[in-house]
PDB file of all heavy atoms in Angstrom:
ATOM      1  N   THR A  29       2.713  22.741   5.968  1.00 83.00           N
ATOM      2  CA  THR A  29       3.041  22.117   4.698  1.00 83.00           C
ATOM      3  C   THR A  29       2.112  20.950   4.427  1.00 83.00           C
ATOM      4  O   THR A  29       1.799  20.165   5.312  1.00 83.00           O
ATOM      5  CB  THR A  29       4.502  21.627   4.715  1.00 83.00           C
ATOM      6  OG1 THR A  29       5.359  22.720   5.036  1.00 83.00           O
ATOM      7  CG2 THR A  29       4.892  21.044   3.367  1.00 83.00           C
ATOM      8  N   LEU A  30       1.675  20.852   3.174  1.00 82.00           N
ATOM      9  CA  LEU A  30       0.817  19.740   2.781  1.00 82.00           C
ATOM     10  C   LEU A  30       1.680  18.514   2.501  1.00 82.00           C
ATOM     11  O   LEU A  30       2.675  18.591   1.767  1.00 82.00           O
ATOM     12  CB  LEU A  30       0.008  20.103   1.539  1.00 82.00           C
ATOM     13  CG  LEU A  30      -1.037  21.213   1.710  1.00 82.00           C
ATOM     14  CD1 LEU A  30      -1.713  21.516   0.380  1.00 82.00           C
ATOM     15  CD2 LEU A  30      -2.085  20.822   2.741  1.00 82.00           C
ATOM     16  N   VAL A  31       1.310  17.393   3.072  1.00 82.00           N
ATOM     17  CA  VAL A  31       2.046  16.154   2.883  1.00 82.00           C
ATOM     18  C   VAL A  31       1.061  15.052   2.490  1.00 82.00           C
ATOM     19  O   VAL A  31      -0.115  15.081   2.863  1.00 82.00           O
ATOM     20  CB  VAL A  31       2.811  15.746   4.166  1.00 82.00           C
ATOM     21  CG1 VAL A  31       3.910  16.741   4.471  1.00 82.00           C
ATOM     22  CG2 VAL A  31       1.857  15.613   5.335  1.00 82.00           C
ATOM     23  N   LYS A  32       1.570  14.094   1.732  1.00 84.00           N
ATOM     24  CA  LYS A  32       0.750  12.948   1.341  1.00 84.00           C
ATOM     25  C   LYS A  32       0.812  11.881   2.425  1.00 84.00           C
ATOM     26  O   LYS A  32       1.890  11.551   2.917  1.00 84.00           O
ATOM     27  CB  LYS A  32       1.226  12.373   0.010  1.00 84.00           C
ATOM     28  CG  LYS A  32       0.853  13.207  -1.192  1.00 84.00           C
ATOM     29  CD  LYS A  32       1.215  12.509  -2.484  1.00 84.00           C
ATOM     30  CE  LYS A  32       0.776  13.345  -3.692  1.00 84.00           C
ATOM     31  NZ  LYS A  32       1.087  12.666  -4.982  1.00 84.00           N
ATOM     32  N   ARG A  33      -0.335  11.368   2.767  1.00 85.00           N
ATOM     33  CA  ARG A  33      -0.415  10.324   3.774  1.00 85.00           C
ATOM     34  C   ARG A  33      -1.152   9.130   3.194  1.00 85.00           C
ATOM     35  O   ARG A  33      -2.210   9.292   2.575  1.00 85.00           O
ATOM     36  CB  ARG A  33      -1.141  10.821   5.026  1.00 85.00           C
ATOM     37  CG  ARG A  33      -1.103   9.832   6.182  1.00 85.00           C
ATOM     38  CD  ARG A  33      -1.626  10.467   7.453  1.00 85.00           C
ATOM     39  NE  ARG A  33      -3.059  10.670   7.418  1.00 85.00           N
ATOM     40  CZ  ARG A  33      -3.948   9.799   7.902  1.00 85.00           C
ATOM     41  NH1 ARG A  33      -3.531   8.674   8.445  1.00 85.00           N
ATOM     42  NH2 ARG A  33      -5.234  10.058   7.850  1.00 85.00           N
ATOM     43  N   GLN A  34      -0.597   7.959   3.373  1.00 87.00           N
ATOM     44  CA  GLN A  34      -1.220   6.723   2.908  1.00 87.00           C
ATOM     45  C   GLN A  34      -1.633   5.897   4.114  1.00 87.00           C
ATOM     46  O   GLN A  34      -0.837   5.680   5.028  1.00 87.00           O
ATOM     47  CB  GLN A  34      -0.246   5.933   2.028  1.00 87.00           C
ATOM     48  CG  GLN A  34       0.119   6.643   0.729  1.00 87.00           C
ATOM     49  CD  GLN A  34       1.050   5.820  -0.137  1.00 87.00           C
ATOM     50  OE1 GLN A  34       1.612   4.823   0.320  1.00 87.00           O
ATOM     51  NE2 GLN A  34       1.227   6.215  -1.381  1.00 87.00           N
ATOM     52  N   PHE A  35      -2.865   5.466   4.116  1.00 86.00           N
ATOM     53  CA  PHE A  35      -3.377   4.672   5.217  1.00 86.00           C
ATOM     54  C   PHE A  35      -4.419   3.701   4.683  1.00 86.00           C
ATOM     55  O   PHE A  35      -4.836   3.771   3.513  1.00 86.00           O
ATOM     56  CB  PHE A  35      -3.983   5.570   6.311  1.00 86.00           C
ATOM     57  CG  PHE A  35      -5.141   6.421   5.839  1.00 86.00           C
ATOM     58  CD1 PHE A  35      -6.446   5.980   5.988  1.00 86.00           C
ATOM     59  CD2 PHE A  35      -4.919   7.655   5.259  1.00 86.00           C
ATOM     60  CE1 PHE A  35      -7.507   6.747   5.560  1.00 86.00           C
ATOM     61  CE2 PHE A  35      -5.980   8.441   4.831  1.00 86.00           C
ATOM     62  CZ  PHE A  35      -7.281   7.981   4.984  1.00 86.00           C
ATOM     63  N   GLY A  36      -4.830   2.790   5.536  1.00 88.00           N
ATOM     64  CA  GLY A  36      -5.830   1.799   5.171  1.00 88.00           C
ATOM     65  C   GLY A  36      -7.096   1.965   6.000  1.00 88.00           C
ATOM     66  O   GLY A  36      -7.060   2.462   7.129  1.00 88.00           O
ATOM     67  N   HIS A  37      -8.193   1.548   5.429  1.00 90.00           N
ATOM     68  CA  HIS A  37      -9.477   1.568   6.131  1.00 90.00           C
ATOM     69  C   HIS A  37     -10.202   0.262   5.842  1.00 90.00           C
ATOM     70  O   HIS A  37     -10.399  -0.105   4.681  1.00 90.00           O
ATOM     71  CB  HIS A  37     -10.335   2.752   5.693  1.00 90.00           C
ATOM     72  CG  HIS A  37     -11.722   2.726   6.252  1.00 90.00           C
ATOM     73  ND1 HIS A  37     -11.977   2.793   7.609  1.00 90.00           N
ATOM     74  CD2 HIS A  37     -12.939   2.611   5.638  1.00 90.00           C
ATOM     75  CE1 HIS A  37     -13.287   2.736   7.806  1.00 90.00           C
ATOM     76  NE2 HIS A  37     -13.886   2.624   6.640  1.00 90.00           N
ATOM     77  N   ARG A  38     -10.571  -0.431   6.903  1.00 92.00           N
ATOM     78  CA  ARG A  38     -11.211  -1.739   6.785  1.00 92.00           C
ATOM     79  C   ARG A  38     -12.704  -1.607   7.066  1.00 92.00           C
ATOM     80  O   ARG A  38     -13.103  -0.988   8.051  1.00 92.00           O
ATOM     81  CB  ARG A  38     -10.564  -2.723   7.761  1.00 92.00           C
ATOM     82  CG  ARG A  38     -10.945  -4.181   7.561  1.00 92.00           C
ATOM     83  CD  ARG A  38     -10.026  -5.043   8.407  1.00 92.00           C
ATOM     84  NE  ARG A  38     -10.244  -6.461   8.199  1.00 92.00           N
ATOM     85  CZ  ARG A  38     -10.954  -7.234   8.994  1.00 92.00           C
ATOM     86  NH1 ARG A  38     -11.522  -6.720  10.080  1.00 92.00           N
ATOM     87  NH2 ARG A  38     -11.097  -8.525   8.758  1.00 92.00           N
ATOM     88  N   ALA A  39     -13.517  -2.189   6.215  1.00 92.00           N
ATOM     89  CA  ALA A  39     -14.967  -2.115   6.345  1.00 92.00           C
ATOM     90  C   ALA A  39     -15.572  -3.494   6.130  1.00 92.00           C
ATOM     91  O   ALA A  39     -15.008  -4.338   5.423  1.00 92.00           O
ATOM     92  CB  ALA A  39     -15.563  -1.118   5.354  1.00 92.00           C
ATOM     93  N   ARG A  40     -16.721  -3.715   6.757  1.00 93.00           N
ATOM     94  CA  ARG A  40     -17.408  -5.001   6.642  1.00 93.00           C
ATOM     95  C   ARG A  40     -18.263  -5.032   5.380  1.00 93.00           C
ATOM     96  O   ARG A  40     -18.962  -4.070   5.057  1.00 93.00           O
ATOM     97  CB  ARG A  40     -18.283  -5.233   7.876  1.00 93.00           C
ATOM     98  CG  ARG A  40     -19.119  -6.498   7.842  1.00 93.00           C
ATOM     99  CD  ARG A  40     -19.716  -6.788   9.210  1.00 93.00           C
ATOM    100  NE  ARG A  40     -20.500  -5.675   9.709  1.00 93.00           N
ATOM    101  CZ  ARG A  40     -21.807  -5.536   9.477  1.00 93.00           C
ATOM    102  NH1 ARG A  40     -22.451  -6.417   8.749  1.00 93.00           N
ATOM    103  NH2 ARG A  40     -22.467  -4.501   9.980  1.00 93.00           N
ATOM    104  N   LEU A  41     -18.192  -6.137   4.658  1.00 93.00           N
ATOM    105  CA  LEU A  41     -18.995  -6.325   3.458  1.00 93.00           C
ATOM    106  C   LEU A  41     -20.297  -7.037   3.799  1.00 93.00           C
ATOM    107  O   LEU A  41     -20.323  -7.910   4.675  1.00 93.00           O
ATOM    108  CB  LEU A  41     -18.227  -7.147   2.421  1.00 93.00           C
ATOM    109  CG  LEU A  41     -17.060  -6.455   1.704  1.00 93.00           C
ATOM    110  CD1 LEU A  41     -16.322  -7.456   0.828  1.00 93.00           C
ATOM    111  CD2 LEU A  41     -17.552  -5.287   0.867  1.00 93.00           C
ATOM    112  N   ALA A  42     -21.359  -6.666   3.099  1.00 93.00           N
ATOM    113  CA  ALA A  42     -22.653  -7.326   3.247  1.00 93.00           C
ATOM    114  C   ALA A  42     -22.942  -8.054   1.936  1.00 93.00           C
ATOM    115  O   ALA A  42     -23.503  -7.480   0.995  1.00 93.00           O
ATOM    116  CB  ALA A  42     -23.752  -6.315   3.569  1.00 93.00           C
ATOM    117  N   LEU A  43     -22.534  -9.308   1.857  1.00 93.00           N
ATOM    118  CA  LEU A  43     -22.643 -10.089   0.629  1.00 93.00           C
ATOM    119  C   LEU A  43     -23.808 -11.061   0.717  1.00 93.00           C
ATOM    120  O   LEU A  43     -24.103 -11.610   1.791  1.00 93.00           O
ATOM    121  CB  LEU A  43     -21.354 -10.864   0.372  1.00 93.00           C
ATOM    122  CG  LEU A  43     -20.054 -10.058   0.288  1.00 93.00           C
ATOM    123  CD1 LEU A  43     -18.878 -10.990   0.038  1.00 93.00           C
ATOM    124  CD2 LEU A  43     -20.138  -9.002  -0.790  1.00 93.00           C
ATOM    125  N   SER A  44     -24.433 -11.284  -0.413  1.00 93.00           N
ATOM    126  CA  SER A  44     -25.445 -12.331  -0.501  1.00 93.00           C
ATOM    127  C   SER A  44     -24.764 -13.690  -0.591  1.00 93.00           C
ATOM    128  O   SER A  44     -23.541 -13.794  -0.733  1.00 93.00           O
ATOM    129  CB  SER A  44     -26.346 -12.094  -1.714  1.00 93.00           C
ATOM    130  OG  SER A  44     -25.588 -12.185  -2.916  1.00 93.00           O
ATOM    131  N   ALA A  45     -25.568 -14.759  -0.534  1.00 93.00           N
ATOM    132  CA  ALA A  45     -24.993 -16.101  -0.589  1.00 93.00           C
ATOM    133  C   ALA A  45     -24.284 -16.339  -1.920  1.00 93.00           C
ATOM    134  O   ALA A  45     -23.202 -16.948  -1.960  1.00 93.00           O
ATOM    135  CB  ALA A  45     -26.094 -17.143  -0.374  1.00 93.00           C
ATOM    136  N   ALA A  46     -24.859 -15.853  -3.009  1.00 94.00           N
ATOM    137  CA  ALA A  46     -24.227 -16.023  -4.319  1.00 94.00           C
ATOM    138  C   ALA A  46     -22.926 -15.230  -4.406  1.00 94.00           C
ATOM    139  O   ALA A  46     -21.930 -15.703  -4.970  1.00 94.00           O
ATOM    140  CB  ALA A  46     -25.192 -15.589  -5.419  1.00 94.00           C
ATOM    141  N   GLU A  47     -22.922 -14.014  -3.849  1.00 94.00           N
ATOM    142  CA  GLU A  47     -21.713 -13.202  -3.882  1.00 94.00           C
ATOM    143  C   GLU A  47     -20.616 -13.807  -3.011  1.00 94.00           C
ATOM    144  O   GLU A  47     -19.431 -13.718  -3.352  1.00 94.00           O
ATOM    145  CB  GLU A  47     -22.040 -11.785  -3.428  1.00 94.00           C
ATOM    146  CG  GLU A  47     -22.925 -11.031  -4.411  1.00 94.00           C
ATOM    147  CD  GLU A  47     -23.454  -9.730  -3.827  1.00 94.00           C
ATOM    148  OE1 GLU A  47     -23.393  -9.572  -2.584  1.00 94.00           O
ATOM    149  OE2 GLU A  47     -23.941  -8.889  -4.605  1.00 94.00           O
ATOM    150  N   VAL A  48     -20.986 -14.429  -1.893  1.00 93.00           N
ATOM    151  CA  VAL A  48     -19.998 -15.101  -1.054  1.00 93.00           C
ATOM    152  C   VAL A  48     -19.349 -16.247  -1.813  1.00 93.00           C
ATOM    153  O   VAL A  48     -18.120 -16.443  -1.747  1.00 93.00           O
ATOM    154  CB  VAL A  48     -20.658 -15.598   0.243  1.00 93.00           C
ATOM    155  CG1 VAL A  48     -19.719 -16.528   1.007  1.00 93.00           C
ATOM    156  CG2 VAL A  48     -21.052 -14.428   1.135  1.00 93.00           C
ATOM    157  N   LEU A  49     -20.142 -17.018  -2.550  1.00 94.00           N
ATOM    158  CA  LEU A  49     -19.581 -18.128  -3.329  1.00 94.00           C
ATOM    159  C   LEU A  49     -18.612 -17.633  -4.398  1.00 94.00           C
ATOM    160  O   LEU A  49     -17.541 -18.210  -4.600  1.00 94.00           O
ATOM    161  CB  LEU A  49     -20.712 -18.936  -3.964  1.00 94.00           C
ATOM    162  CG  LEU A  49     -21.565 -19.785  -3.011  1.00 94.00           C
ATOM    163  CD1 LEU A  49     -22.695 -20.468  -3.774  1.00 94.00           C
ATOM    164  CD2 LEU A  49     -20.711 -20.820  -2.294  1.00 94.00           C
ATOM    165  N   LYS A  50     -18.978 -16.543  -5.084  1.00 94.00           N
ATOM    166  CA  LYS A  50     -18.089 -15.997  -6.108  1.00 94.00           C
ATOM    167  C   LYS A  50     -16.777 -15.497  -5.503  1.00 94.00           C
ATOM    168  O   LYS A  50     -15.693 -15.740  -6.047  1.00 94.00           O
ATOM    169  CB  LYS A  50     -18.793 -14.860  -6.853  1.00 94.00           C
ATOM    170  CG  LYS A  50     -19.957 -15.296  -7.723  1.00 94.00           C
ATOM    171  CD  LYS A  50     -20.575 -14.097  -8.436  1.00 94.00           C
ATOM    172  CE  LYS A  50     -21.752 -14.512  -9.307  1.00 94.00           C
ATOM    173  NZ  LYS A  50     -22.362 -13.342  -9.980  1.00 94.00           N
ATOM    174  N   THR A  51     -16.873 -14.816  -4.371  1.00 94.00           N
ATOM    175  CA  THR A  51     -15.662 -14.306  -3.728  1.00 94.00           C
ATOM    176  C   THR A  51     -14.805 -15.446  -3.189  1.00 94.00           C
ATOM    177  O   THR A  51     -13.565 -15.403  -3.275  1.00 94.00           O
ATOM    178  CB  THR A  51     -16.037 -13.340  -2.593  1.00 94.00           C
ATOM    179  OG1 THR A  51     -17.033 -12.427  -3.045  1.00 94.00           O
ATOM    180  CG2 THR A  51     -14.827 -12.553  -2.135  1.00 94.00           C
ATOM    181  N   ASP A  52     -15.449 -16.472  -2.638  1.00 93.00           N
ATOM    182  CA  ASP A  52     -14.696 -17.641  -2.178  1.00 93.00           C
ATOM    183  C   ASP A  52     -13.946 -18.309  -3.327  1.00 93.00           C
ATOM    184  O   ASP A  52     -12.785 -18.713  -3.178  1.00 93.00           O
ATOM    185  CB  ASP A  52     -15.639 -18.652  -1.520  1.00 93.00           C
ATOM    186  CG  ASP A  52     -16.121 -18.190  -0.154  1.00 93.00           C
ATOM    187  OD1 ASP A  52     -15.578 -17.196   0.356  1.00 93.00           O
ATOM    188  OD2 ASP A  52     -17.047 -18.818   0.396  1.00 93.00           O
TER     189      ASP A  52
END
Side-chain angles (χ1 to χ4, degrees):
T29 304
L30 294 177
V31 294
K32 285 186 178 181
R33 187 170 72 94
Q34 295 182 347
F35 60 94
H37 173 63
R38 191 169 185 261
R40 176 168 56 90
L41 288 174
L43 304 180
S44 64
E47 292 169 344
V48 169
L49 289 177
K50 292 181 180 179
T51 314
D52 287 350

